Amino acid sequence: MTKEDILNGQVVLIDKPLKWSSFQAVNKLKYALKNHFDLPKKFKIGHAGTLDPLATGLLIICTGKFTKSISEIQAQTKEYTGTITVGATTPSYDLETEVDATFPSEHITKILIQETVTQFLGEIDQKPPVFSAIKKDGKRLYEHARAGEEVEIQSRKTTIYEFEITRFALPEIDFRVQCSKGTYIRSLAYDFGFALNSGGHLTALRRTKIGAYSVENALSPDDFVENLNHEN
């Protein structure tokens, strides 16, 4: 990789660690590339699709002219794996907030789960979580939520292409999902719990693919920087 490569445009696949923000990962690469190649202060770099701090996995980072491809990459099908824990809900639909309600889960069987999965295949209506970055009345939803303000959230159409249960060990249910842009896996976990006549929240999430890009070909931010320092 050369200075010209970075300025002309590169696609870098990063495996985002747990508890890192997407912004942190981009900043780590930006700082390392800028210092290593003596790049101009405002060289172009950005990511194609945010991952929550509590999620791990594929973060696509584009530099230079390739930043123009970001919206095109974001529009591609995404694949996630993760864990839904049934019998309880949280306001954020994941582990960012504490459990706010508990529900029976003893009635949940493998058969019930497989029957329920089919309700979520194809085009579905989904409400984004109240703890999300979507803007409403000039503020992000999570800002309203943290201030204790109730806001009306409109549901939106999204498409689930594949929804496979990969492990059944109550209260945990592991899954693999392929979905369209704009799908909230936290909302899917929450809605799935209620469809099982229980409750559910997301307790693990990993993005494994965006279009043809796979996390198998990605490096952690630290490994990327280490490799960079070993070049030249």
Side-chain angles (χ1 to χ4, degrees):
M1 196 187 293
T2 66
K3 180 175 182 175
E4 287 68 36
D5 289 336
I6 299 299
L7 294 173
N8 287 333
Q10 288 283 297
V11 172
V12 180
L13 306 185
I14 290 297
D15 187 349
K16 188 191 81 63
L18 187 67
K19 297 192 177 171
W20 280 51
S21 70
S22 300
F23 180 74
Q24 267 177 293
V26 171
N27 255 12
K28 174 119 183 170
L29 265 66
K30 183 179 183 179
Y31 183 78
L33 289 167
K34 183 178 163 301
N35 285 350
H36 188 79
F37 292 113
D38 192 26
L39 295 167
K41 195 173 181 181
K42 291 194 173 178
F43 84 96
K44 288 183 177 175
I45 186 166
H47 65 74
T50 304
L51 265 182
D52 290 337
L54 291 178
T56 65
L58 184 60
L59 186 70
I60 298 179
I61 296 178
C62 300
T63 74
K65 293 170 188 166
F66 280 25
T67 53
K68 291 178 181 171
S69 308
I70 281 176
S71 56
E72 189 185 313
I73 294 169
Q74 281 178 320
Q76 296 180 29
T77 298
K78 295 174 179 65
E79 181 181 88
Y80 296 89
T81 60
T83 303
I84 299 167
T85 297
V86 293
T89 55
T90 71
S92 59
Y93 302 173
D94 66 3
L95 292 174
E96 187 187 335
T97 52
E98 298 290 321
V99 167
D100 62 351
T102 56
F103 303 85
S105 58
E106 300 78 18
H107 64 283
I108 298 173
T109 61
K110 282 186 181 179
I111 292 170
L112 177 60
I113 286 173
Q114 292 301 344
E115 286 171 352
T116 307
V117 159
T118 60
Q119 297 173 31
F120 289 88
L121 290 169
E123 189 177 72
I124 61 169
D125 286 313
Q126 186 182 74
K127 276 192 178 183
V130 289
F131 282 77
S132 64
I134 295 168
K135 281 196 171 176
K136 169 97 175 177
D137 303 329
K139 273 205 305 193
R140 299 200 183 275
L141 286 183
Y142 64 75
E143 292 175 320
H144 288 290
R146 285 173 187 153
E149 300 161 0
E150 293 215 1
V151 287
E152 183 60 37
I153 304 171
Q154 297 299 314
S155 64
R156 45 176 66 187
K157 300 234 178 261
T158 187
T159 305
I160 307 293
Y161 302 110
E162 292 181 25
F163 188 3
E164 178 192 1
I165 303 303
T166 55
R167 184 178 70 104
F168 175 75
L170 288 182
E172 294 184 344
I173 300 167
D174 288 359
F175 64 88
R176 182 186 64 84
V177 162
Q178 283 197 342
C179 56
S180 64
K181 177 192 175 187
T183 303
Y184 280 91
I185 308 299
R186 284 182 289 151
S187 292
L188 182 67
Y190 183 81
D191 294 341
F192 190 64
F194 275 110
L196 291 168
N197 292 316
S198 182
H201 61 290
L202 192 65
T203 48
L205 184 65
R206 182 163 175 77
R207 185 158 64 195
T208 47
K209 288 180 185 173
I210 300 175
Y213 298 104
S214 171
V215 75
E216 290 175 5
N217 303 315
L219 291 172
S220 73
D222 288 342
D223 285 347
F224 176 85
V225 171
E226 197 175 316
N227 284 4
L228 195 64
N229 292 335
H230 285 146
E231 285 182 15
N232 305 337

